[in-house]
Amino acid sequence: MDIITLVTFIVFLAIFAIIGLSSVVRKKKTTEDYLLAGQNVKPWLVALAAVATCNSGYMFIGLIGFTYKVGLTSLWIAIGWVFGDFMSSIFSFKHIRRFADNKDIQTYSSLLSYRGKVPLKKVRLVAGIITLIFLSIYAAAQFAANGKTLLATFDLDPWVGTIVGAVLVVAYCFVGGIRATIWTNAAQSIVMVIVMTLLVGYGINEVGGWESALVKFNAVSPTYLSWFNDVDSYWGFAPILFVLGWFFAGFGTVGQPHIMVGYMTMDDGDNIGKVRAYYYSWYAAFFCAAILVGMLARIIIIDNASFDPELALPTMAIALFPPFLVGVMLAGIFAATISTADSLVISCTGALTNDIFPKLKFSYRASKIATILVTLFSVCVALYALYGDTKVFDMVVYAWAVMGTGFGPLLTLVLLGKKPSQTISLVMILFGAGFTVALSMLGVPEPEYFIPGMSIGFIIYYIWKLIYPKTKEDD
């Protein structure tokens, strides 16, 4: 264990923690401030926090590990996901902030169930339960990423990083709520883009330049630089389905409570253009850096059957960076996963106290207790995943898919001014999410179950309207 790396890691993690904890100066002891930061967050903070929330353990551990295995094919994840995300933003960003001016809307589920007067109680309840379950799994993936990071760097048992991350999440939540998440996300987002760019530079230098890197990529396997590595072996339309699958995954951003709630914190809906500019430029930079790091890791790290590809980033950093930069990068990864887990836990807290048990909606103490319970559950799931060899990438994609397909179509229609009844709303949620769960259990590859899963909700709604055109569904 390098002492410089350890000290730098602790110092920079402390800096990130202080940034988050300093949000106490703006804190108000209200559930609105705890869950929505008083709706006065600046556009650049909203954007950088959203990018960090999207990426974190998924990007630094999961995507880089996936790229390490398949090579250039992972570029389609970036292209499809970012473009799908952009398309969903056209329907969502500004409308979500406008809806959030209603003081009764403090959570994603209440937004999803809003129909102009009072929320549809059963829709809010079901959406709250799904949010609680699958965002807890998503949070567990972040804690698992913490465990893997400290395992690769300091050879500590995975449970150590998991517990440390959980303790910091509870501290962030208690001190600053979602504001602490946003401030920390923005800080680590800036640091990690810089560090990842440096790692690409170090990696290219290590392998002898770009031309040498291309030669070595080809030496990994004949398909490592293929646009569709391992996808070509499927039946003819598989490459198209692969790309469309990740497009629908990106569009599924509209179904992610922890991300959409972030836009509800924005100070002014008229600033949406600024948010979009910051968000997509930063998002593209993150994706490109992660893919390059994943591919370079494959030709720098000695591959063997026992190596876990999801340890590629910290392993490569240790091999190339001076100890100081290793510590900075590790602190950035750790802070990223913590702040993302924080936003996930806050969303789960809101689901529990606002949607599942609405009588606790204005209880600040109940929100704190719910935060502890959700964190404990996520830690248990993370430990089960770590010692059961479940991948962070798979956990994130699965949770994302269920919520995106269950919630995305319904919220899109609501934001477009439609007012589906309680019955059709429940059918859309349960069939969309249930269909995705079923396809996953049958072993359908990740990107391909996004297409039918995202489509089924829209299909159900418009078939319903054809059968019952005169109902008051959209009054």
Side-chain angles (χ1 to χ4, degrees), residues 35 75 101 124 140 147 186 197-198 203 205 231 244 248 261 293 373 426:
L35 300 175
L75 184 62
D101 285 332
R124 187 175 64 182
T197 303
L198 285 173
N205 181 68
V231 180
L244 282 177
F248 277 93
V261 167
V293 167
L373 294 175
L426 289 172

Side-chain angles (χ1 to χ4, degrees), residues 217-228:
F217 287 145
N218 280 311
V220 171
S221 74
T223 59
Y224 200 68
L225 290 179
S226 167
W227 287 109
F228 296 103

Side-chain angles (χ1 to χ4, degrees), residues 199-217 296 299-300 316 320:
L199 190 56
V200 171
Y202 272 81
I204 291 298
N205 181 68
E206 176 71 15
V207 299
W210 288 105
E211 291 185 4
S212 176
L214 290 173
V215 172
K216 292 180 179 181
F217 287 145
L296 288 168
I299 57 177
I300 291 172
M316 180 175 166
L320 300 183

Side-chain angles (χ1 to χ4, degrees), residues 45-60:
L45 278 173
V46 172
L48 296 192
V51 172
T53 299
C54 286
N55 299 332
S56 57
Y58 162 74
M59 185 74 77
F60 302 135

Side-chain angles (χ1 to χ4, degrees), residues 410-432:
L410 178 58
L411 185 60
T412 300
L413 291 172
V414 170
L415 295 177
L416 288 174
K418 307 295 183 182
K419 297 179 180 178
S421 70
Q422 182 151 264
T423 299
I424 190 60
S425 297
L426 289 172
V427 171
M428 290 174 66
I429 291 173
L430 294 174
F431 269 77

Side-chain angles (χ1 to χ4, degrees), residues 32 35-36 39 99-111 113-114 116-119 124 264 354-355 361-362:
E32 180 188 6
L35 300 175
L36 295 179
Q39 294 183 314
F99 272 66
D101 285 332
N102 185 320
K103 298 303 180 183
D104 290 328
I105 298 178
Q106 295 186 1
T107 67
Y108 182 88
S109 299
S110 57
L111 175 66
S113 62
Y114 182 71
K117 296 180 181 179
V118 295
R124 187 175 64 182
M264 293 168 67
N354 281 245
D355 307 319
K361 180 176 181 178
F362 298 106

Side-chain angles (χ1 to χ4, degrees), residues 135-417:
L135 277 192
S136 293
I137 294 174
Y138 203 144
Q142 310 309 312
F143 293 138
N146 286 335
K148 288 193 172 189
T149 299
L150 294 195
L151 169 66
T153 312
F154 303 120
D155 198 28
L156 295 173
D157 284 339
W159 67 265
V160 176
T162 301
I163 299 300
V164 171
V167 170
L168 287 172
V169 163
V170 172
Y172 281 7
C173 291
F174 275 28
V175 171
I178 198 170
R179 185 179 287 107
T181 302
I182 291 171
W183 288 14
T184 310
N185 267 334
Q188 63 82 15
S189 185
I190 293 170
V191 170
M192 286 307 296
V193 163
I194 294 172
V195 173
M196 293 275 282
T197 303
L198 285 173
L199 190 56
V200 171
Y202 272 81
I204 291 298
N205 181 68
E206 176 71 15
V207 299
W210 288 105
E211 291 185 4
S212 176
L214 290 173
V215 172
K216 292 180 179 181
F217 287 145
N218 280 311
V220 171
S221 74
T223 59
Y224 200 68
L225 290 179
S226 167
W227 287 109
F228 296 103
N229 183 12
D230 291 335
V231 180
D232 297 313
S233 59
Y234 297 159
W235 48 285
F237 293 105
I240 297 174
L241 293 176
F242 184 80
V243 177
L244 282 177
W246 292 116
F247 168 83
F248 277 93
F251 192 88
T253 301
V254 75
Q256 307 305 314
H258 58 299
I259 298 174
M260 293 297 104
V261 167
Y263 299 122
M264 293 168 67
T265 68
M266 187 167 47
D267 59 355
D268 190 336
D270 291 335
N271 286 328
I272 196 62
K274 295 179 181 179
V275 172
R276 190 178 279 117
Y278 292 132
Y279 178 75
Y280 289 106
S281 58
W282 216 252
Y283 206 172
F286 254 116
F287 252 122
C288 290
I291 290 170
L292 284 171
V293 167
M295 294 181 68
L296 288 168
R298 183 63 182 269
I299 57 177
I300 291 172
I301 300 171
I302 298 175
D303 193 17
N304 59 68
S306 63
F307 180 71
D308 181 355
E310 292 197 337
L311 300 179
L313 176 59
T315 303
M316 180 175 166
I318 292 169
L320 300 183
F321 272 166
F324 173 79
L325 281 180
V326 174
V328 173
M329 189 210 66
L330 293 174
I333 296 174
F334 213 82
T337 54
I338 290 170
S339 53
T340 296
D342 182 16
S343 63
L344 295 163
V345 169
I346 287 288
S347 292
C348 288
T349 296
L352 195 58
T353 59
N354 281 245
D355 307 319
I356 300 174
F357 300 106
K359 291 183 179 180
L360 302 176
K361 180 176 181 178
F362 298 106
S363 173
Y364 189 66
R365 178 177 294 180
S367 294
K368 296 292 189 70
I369 294 172
T371 294
I372 294 174
L373 294 175
V374 170
T375 303
L376 287 173
F377 175 72
S378 293
V379 166
C380 292
V381 175
L383 293 175
Y384 175 82
L386 281 168
Y387 293 100
D389 198 32
T390 301
K391 300 297 183 186
V392 171
F393 183 85
D394 293 335
M395 292 173 70
V396 171
V397 172
Y398 177 64
W400 182 285
V402 173
M403 291 183 296
T405 57
F407 300 152
L410 178 58
L411 185 60
T412 300
L413 291 172
V414 170
L415 295 177
L416 288 174

